[in-house]
Amino acid sequence: MMAIRLKGWSFTAAGVGISLNQTKSIPSTIQKLCILLRPISTNQTQQHSFTVSYLINSCGVSPEAALSASKYINFETPEKPNSVLALLKAHDFSKSQISHVIGQAPQVLGSDPQRTLLPKLDFFRSVGFSEAEIAKIISAAPSIFKRSLKNQLIPSYNYFKNLLGSHKNAIAAIKRFSTVLLFDLDTYVVPKIEILRQHGVPDKNIVTLLTYQPRVIMTTTDIFKDTVEDVKKMGFNPLRLKFVLAIHAKRAMNLSTWERKIEVFKKWGWSEEDVLVAFGKNPWCLMASEDKIMRVMNFLVNEIGFESSSIVKRPAVFTLSLEKRIVPRCSIIQILVSRGLLKRNSGFLRMLDISEKDFLKSVTSFCKEDASKLVKMYREKLRLVS
């Protein structure tokens, strides 16, 4: 007789008839199982019990997810699902990735691994993805396994390859947002491209946007159009790359989040106009979390002594790591300022934003006598936070 075991509880198809009083002492997951099993026949119960047990014990799916998944798939023997799991394991899917794929798309367990699943894995490999990347892509969008290779996946890939100009760019976009392959192109993609072109956005900037931020198109055409028009009203030039960066930044948060971040800046004395000026200089500054904005402001204003208004001109600081970039560099820059080798206002914030190579080069040029000592001090501080 088939039995299910969960965290010390064991019951069979013949033993699911319990009273209401008894259920009070039984975990909620077991109660749900009993409710699902009670109305059906013994054969159906055994099949359903096996499916739920298999999902939990062989696939690592949670009891709650197993109950939900069992509504979509049932099997009496482990041969077919075992062959699916074997294929996934052979292609470097981790246990957690397998659990996620099966939990999100349980129908996969009923697929023919050689005829249905393997060709999709082979396709991704053929266009340049590694086994690890394929596992990551599919675990991020398990519905890929349920979609037609011929009618959906290949046409979508070819569309993005042609639109973005190369295999390399198409691969980059898919790595960042694999669900992009599942969109209906005529509904979600083509209209957004046309809107951008109608506003004069160069194709090279459209390519940059969709290569690095493909998620931006996951909205209705009307909402996307409103976002583009809002960005244009803010004064962004459609011919410049910042225009599409601003579109992404606006699309990445809802209105309430946008307004909350403006309020955070206002706490430090910025006006709404200051926020828009900073956003115009570097749209990514408003992508920082409210907590990140507060911590950066607190450090630069209260610990370093900057006027918050001076930071408006260098909003890139909000895109930098406080622990791994701002704090270590400030410790060295303060020494240069104290020695009169660097002006506080004009050079301090710029030194935070330049590349590592240029930063070390600047330290050496400003302080030739003990440059090696300062560089060593800086690298020690970096090691403490790495």
Side-chain angles (χ1 to χ4, degrees), residues 172-190:
I174 294 166
K175 283 182 182 179
R176 286 175 173 81
F177 187 50
S178 51
T179 306
V180 75
L181 289 174
L182 307 179
F183 286 146
D184 180 89
L185 298 174
D186 290 334
T187 300
Y188 281 95
V189 184
V190 175

Side-chain angles (χ1 to χ4, degrees), residues 214-347:
R215 191 184 294 268
V216 75
I217 62 176
M218 196 179 71
T219 184
T220 66
T221 299
D222 287 342
I223 291 176
F224 186 82
K225 183 178 180 180
D226 290 343
T227 302
V228 173
E229 291 175 351
D230 285 346
V231 167
K232 196 168 185 179
K233 289 176 184 177
M234 288 179 180
F236 285 91
N237 184 345
L239 297 176
R240 304 292 296 277
L241 183 60
K242 285 182 181 179
F243 187 84
V244 295
L245 297 182
I247 291 172
H248 168 62
K250 286 282 288 180
R251 282 291 311 124
M253 66 189 90
N254 55 36
L255 180 60
S256 62
T257 302
W258 173 270
E259 291 175 344
R260 284 199 310 271
K261 291 184 179 182
I262 290 178
E263 290 303 313
V264 171
F265 281 112
K266 285 183 176 180
K267 291 178 182 179
W268 294 94
W270 285 24
S271 66
E272 190 162 340
E273 183 179 349
D274 288 332
V275 178
L276 293 178
V277 168
F279 184 68
K281 289 179 175 294
N282 190 312
W284 292 110
C285 68
L286 261 78
M287 293 290 286
S289 68
E290 294 162 54
D291 176 67
K292 171 74 174 293
I293 295 169
M294 286 293 292
R295 289 189 298 115
V296 170
M297 278 292 205
N298 180 65
F299 179 77
L300 292 177
V301 175
N302 293 334
E303 296 190 37
I304 301 299
F306 269 101
E307 292 290 334
S308 65
S309 58
S310 66
I311 304 173
V312 174
K313 298 178 181 179
R314 291 284 180 179
V317 294
F318 297 105
T319 69
L320 307 175
S321 169
L322 182 62
E323 295 78 12
K324 296 182 180 181
R325 173 72 77 90
I326 297 175
V327 173
R329 287 195 183 185
C330 279
S331 65
I332 304 302
I333 297 170
Q334 282 181 300
I335 294 175
L336 298 178
V337 172
S338 68
R339 296 179 181 180
L341 301 173
L342 180 68
K343 292 184 179 180
R344 185 177 187 81
N345 292 329
S346 62

Side-chain angles (χ1 to χ4, degrees), residues 6 31 49 115 129 156 203 224 227 239 329 362-363 379:
L6 292 173
Q31 294 181 38
S49 300
R115 294 181 59 188
F129 291 101
S156 290
D203 281 353
F224 186 82
T227 302
L239 297 176
R329 287 195 183 185
S362 295
V363 171
R379 286 177 172 159

Side-chain angles (χ1 to χ4, degrees), residues 34-106:
C34 293
I35 291 170
L36 285 172
L37 297 177
R38 190 181 300 159
I40 54 182
S41 68
T42 300
N43 288 338
Q44 288 175 310
T45 298
Q46 290 177 340
Q47 181 180 344
H48 187 269
S49 300
F50 177 81
T51 301
V52 174
S53 180
Y54 185 91
L55 290 168
I56 295 168
N57 298 323
S58 297
C59 304
V61 176
S62 70
E64 292 79 9
L67 283 171
S68 177
S70 66
K71 299 174 185 178
Y72 304 99
I73 187 170
N74 269 302
F75 37 83
E76 299 179 6
T77 61
E79 284 75 19
K80 177 171 280 190
N82 278 352
S83 65
V84 171
L85 297 186
L87 178 73
L88 297 180
K89 291 174 183 177
H91 286 79
D92 290 348
F93 280 72
S94 66
K95 288 183 179 180
S96 62
Q97 287 173 331
I98 290 174
S99 175
H100 183 73
V101 168
I102 302 306
Q104 295 294 312

